[in-house]
Amino acid sequence: MASLWRSYQVLMTKRPWTVQLVTAGSLVGVGDVISQQVFERRGLAHHNVQRTAKMMSIGFFFVGPVVGSWYKVLDRLVVGGTKSAAMKKMLVDQLFFAPCFLGSFLGISGALNGLTVEENVTKLKRDYTDALISNYYLWPAVQIANFYFIPLHHRLAVVQIVAVAWNSYLTWKANKM
């Protein structure tokens, strides 16, 4: 495990953006596998590989770039590594970024699942508030710790590790028809 972490560190130094995107896509995919196998109890024979691929593509092309870029912007908006700065970053993140990100994630998932605009709007009206409330149970504490203790180039990875559980919930919510 230590050698895996060292390899990750080396890659993060050489190709941070690529590693962040691959990490995000992979962990969104892991979240979907957990969602299908644990929450939905589909079993391997009924696992929807196409859905996992769709969710991974959302991770690679939406979650990774958006969250990775957001942390860079947030670090410029709120400067410093104090407890006060961490609290401000968490508040800005959770009050402004999280609501937009969740709505976008659910909307993109619906579109990739073939929902019409009307069906997607209906699904967003049904699921968005519940997802946002669930977000507020988990993410503020994680983000305060993340912003206070973790260097910028490792924040997306920390979020994605915690997000394996979150992604399991979110992919279940996004794919629940």
Side-chain angles (χ1 to χ4, degrees), residues 62 66-67 70-71 74 89-106 128 131-136 139-140 143 166 170:
F62 175 70
V66 170
V67 175
W70 168 243
Y71 287 150
L74 188 57
K89 286 178 185 177
M90 183 279 296
L91 288 170
V92 171
D93 180 68
Q94 292 300 302
L95 294 174
F96 299 104
F97 179 75
C100 299
F101 177 82
L102 278 174
S104 299
F105 183 92
L106 293 171
Y128 176 76
L132 188 61
I133 290 168
S134 298
N135 170 84
Y136 289 142
W139 287 109
Q143 292 296 55
W166 175 248
L170 203 54

Side-chain angles (χ1 to χ4, degrees), residues 12 17 20 24 63-80 86 89-94 97-98 101 135 139-148 150-163 166:
M12 275 300 287
W17 190 245
Q20 287 178 354
V63 175
V66 170
V67 175
S69 297
W70 168 243
Y71 287 150
K72 290 178 185 174
V73 168
L74 188 57
D75 237 37
R76 284 188 221 118
L77 286 175
V78 181
V79 180
K89 286 178 185 177
M90 183 279 296
L91 288 170
V92 171
D93 180 68
Q94 292 300 302
F97 179 75
F101 177 82
N135 170 84
W139 287 109
V142 171
Q143 292 296 55
I144 287 174
N146 199 22
F147 295 137
Y148 188 64
I150 307 299
L152 175 62
H153 63 282
H154 290 301
R155 286 186 190 149
L156 181 60
V158 168
V159 164
Q160 288 302 326
I161 290 166
V162 174
W166 175 248

Side-chain angles (χ1 to χ4, degrees), residues 26-167:
S26 301
L27 293 177
V28 171
V30 168
D32 184 63
V33 170
I34 292 169
S35 175
Q36 289 189 52
Q37 297 305 313
V38 176
F39 300 137
E40 300 169 36
R41 298 175 192 214
R42 289 178 173 238
L44 294 177
H46 299 290
H47 186 87
N48 186 340
V49 176
Q50 208 173 21
R51 176 179 130 180
T52 300
K54 286 179 192 175
M55 297 312 295
M56 287 179 77
S57 69
I58 293 172
F60 291 133
F61 301 111
F62 175 70
V63 175
V66 170
V67 175
S69 297
W70 168 243
Y71 287 150
K72 290 178 185 174
V73 168
L74 188 57
D75 237 37
R76 284 188 221 118
L77 286 175
V78 181
V79 180
T82 64
K83 290 176 189 170
S84 172
M87 181 63 83
K88 288 175 189 171
K89 286 178 185 177
M90 183 279 296
L91 288 170
V92 171
D93 180 68
Q94 292 300 302
L95 294 174
F96 299 104
F97 179 75
C100 299
F101 177 82
L102 278 174
S104 299
F105 183 92
L106 293 171
I108 290 168
S109 298
L112 287 178
N113 284 329
L115 297 180
T116 65
V117 172
E118 295 79 23
E119 291 168 333
N120 215 352
V121 167
T122 300
K123 187 167 180 3
L124 280 169
K125 285 179 182 176
R126 184 188 77 202
D127 294 341
Y128 176 76
T129 302
D130 186 42
L132 188 61
I133 290 168
S134 298
N135 170 84
Y136 289 142
Y137 282 123
L138 173 65
W139 287 109
V142 171
Q143 292 296 55
I144 287 174
N146 199 22
F147 295 137
Y148 188 64
F149 296 111
I150 307 299
L152 175 62
H153 63 282
H154 290 301
R155 286 186 190 149
L156 181 60
V158 168
V159 164
Q160 288 302 326
I161 290 166
V162 174
V164 168
W166 175 248
N167 292 340

